[in-house]
């Protein structure tokens, strides 16, 4: 099973700042089969990125994903008030599909 | 617009079987374009993929739960279902159904299932 470790656990930033979230895999994720999700309290996760870098339908271009192998990054170029949430990475290159433990982006 | 809605009991006794149904609207499970999944999230914790099903009935389960999980599909009702047997308090979670078998682009709102006597 591939273990995904997200860092940092919590990121304290102000609106307008840049957020950089890391997701590191215990083994190489084949074909960059990595997704990112945003989850707000009391809501289901929302798909942001698949294939490591492809934005899902309707996702603003301030969200971008990059990386390959074992190291992946989600970048939010300029934080909007609605971006403060928990973010999860997920690999689907091997079974079982696994999620990271999450990074909380909070208002500083 | 695809919508998914979970339904089922919110309270299950230990050792019993948890049963949930997901009703899909805005898309047809029978189209065969996608897999359909169940995912869970214990309160205050992260996400765990449970398994997926194809319209034909073929399934794939998380090995950690495989011995206790059954996912089935009813294409006539555009629904798929989850059964988890021999539940314990560790199975208390919000259970989500989702479209997709690899990444998940549409999710239900989730339903909290508590295991308690």
């Amino acid at each position: 099973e591939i273990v995904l470790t997200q860092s940092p656990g919590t990121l304290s930033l102000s609106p307008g700042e840049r957020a950089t979230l890391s997701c590191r895999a215990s083994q190489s994720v084949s074909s960059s089969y990595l997704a990112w999700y945003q989850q707000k309290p009391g809501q289901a996760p929302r798909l942001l990125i698949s294939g490591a870098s492809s934005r899902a339908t309707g996702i603003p271009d301030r969200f971008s994903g990059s990386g390959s192998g074992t190291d992946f990054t989600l970048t939010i170029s300029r934080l909007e008030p609605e971006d403060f949430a928990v973010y999860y990475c997920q690999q689907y290159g091997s079974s079982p599909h696994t999620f990271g433990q999450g990074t909380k982006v909070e208002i500083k | 617009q695809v919508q998914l809605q979970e339904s089922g009991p919110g309270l299950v006794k230990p050792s019993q079987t948890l049963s949930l149904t997901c009703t899909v609207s805005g898309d047809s499970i029978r189209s065969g374009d996608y897999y359909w999944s169940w995912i869970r999230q214990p309160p205050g914790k992260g996400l765990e993929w449970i398994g997926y099903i194809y319209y034909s009935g073929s399934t794939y389960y998380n090995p950690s739960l495989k011995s206790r999980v059954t996912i089935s599909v009813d294409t006539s009702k555009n629904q798929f279902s989850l059964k988890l047997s021999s539940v314990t308090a560790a199975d208390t979670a919000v259970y989500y159904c989702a479209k997709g078998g690899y990444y998940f682009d549409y999710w239900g709102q989730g339903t909290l299932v508590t295991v308690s006597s």
Side-chain angles (χ1 to χ4, degrees):
Chain A
E1 171 174 321
I2 294 180
V3 176
L4 299 178
T5 301
Q6 293 186 240
S7 60
T10 301
L11 198 51
S12 299
L13 295 168
S14 300
E17 289 193 295
R18 181 183 188 91
T20 303
L21 288 66
S22 173
C23 176
R24 181 161 292 177
S26 59
Q27 307 168 41
S28 182
V29 177
S30 62
S31 304
S32 296
Y33 286 154
L34 189 111
W36 289 93
Y37 301 85
Q38 176 193 70
Q39 186 177 35
K40 297 179 180 179
Q43 296 184 17
R46 177 174 71 145
L47 177 68
L48 300 174
I49 302 282
S50 63
S53 61
S54 297
R55 273 189 302 277
T57 303
I59 301 302
D61 61 7
R62 65 180 181 271
F63 291 92
S64 63
S66 63
S68 63
T70 60
D71 290 301
F72 297 87
T73 300
L74 175 70
T75 302
I76 310 171
S77 58
R78 287 177 56 86
L79 282 164
E80 296 288 341
E82 62 267 28
D83 298 337
F84 292 92
V86 178
Y87 292 83
Y88 293 95
C89 58
Q90 177 233 338
Q91 68 81 22
Y92 52 98
S94 66
S95 188
H97 308 323
T98 50
F99 292 85
Q101 83 281 14
T103 289
K104 181 179 182 180
V105 179
E106 65 175 23
I107 300 177
K108 186 174 181 181
Chain B
Q1 176 76 355
V2 180
Q3 292 187 316
L4 300 93
Q5 178 68 58
E6 305 89 352
S7 59
L11 181 64
V12 180
K13 289 181 167 51
S15 80
Q16 294 190 341
T17 296
L18 177 160
S19 296
L20 296 173
T21 295
C22 181
T23 301
V24 179
S25 58
D27 198 350
S28 172
I29 291 177
R30 193 180 297 165
S31 71
D33 291 336
Y34 291 93
Y35 293 91
W36 302 86
S37 291
W38 286 98
I39 297 153
R40 70 180 183 177
Q41 184 173 35
K45 296 187 177 180
L47 298 156
E48 181 180 32
W49 171 72
I50 299 170
Y52 65 62
I53 192 163
Y54 195 51
Y55 81 101
S56 61
S58 64
T59 54
Y60 197 90
Y61 302 138
N62 189 323
S64 69
L65 297 168
K66 185 177 181 180
S67 64
R68 299 194 292 129
V69 171
T70 302
I71 299 176
S72 59
V73 66
D74 185 338
T75 56
S76 67
K77 295 181 179 179
N78 219 30
Q79 295 176 333
F80 62 107
S81 298
L82 169 70
K83 290 188 185 297
L84 182 65
S85 64
S86 304
V87 297
T88 68
D91 296 309
T92 293
V94 174
Y95 286 76
Y96 296 101
C97 58
K99 178 180 177 179
Y102 298 97
Y103 59 87
F104 313 106
D105 49 2
Y106 291 95
W107 296 62
Q109 65 186 26
T111 187
L112 174 63
V113 179
T114 301
V115 178
S116 175
S117 55

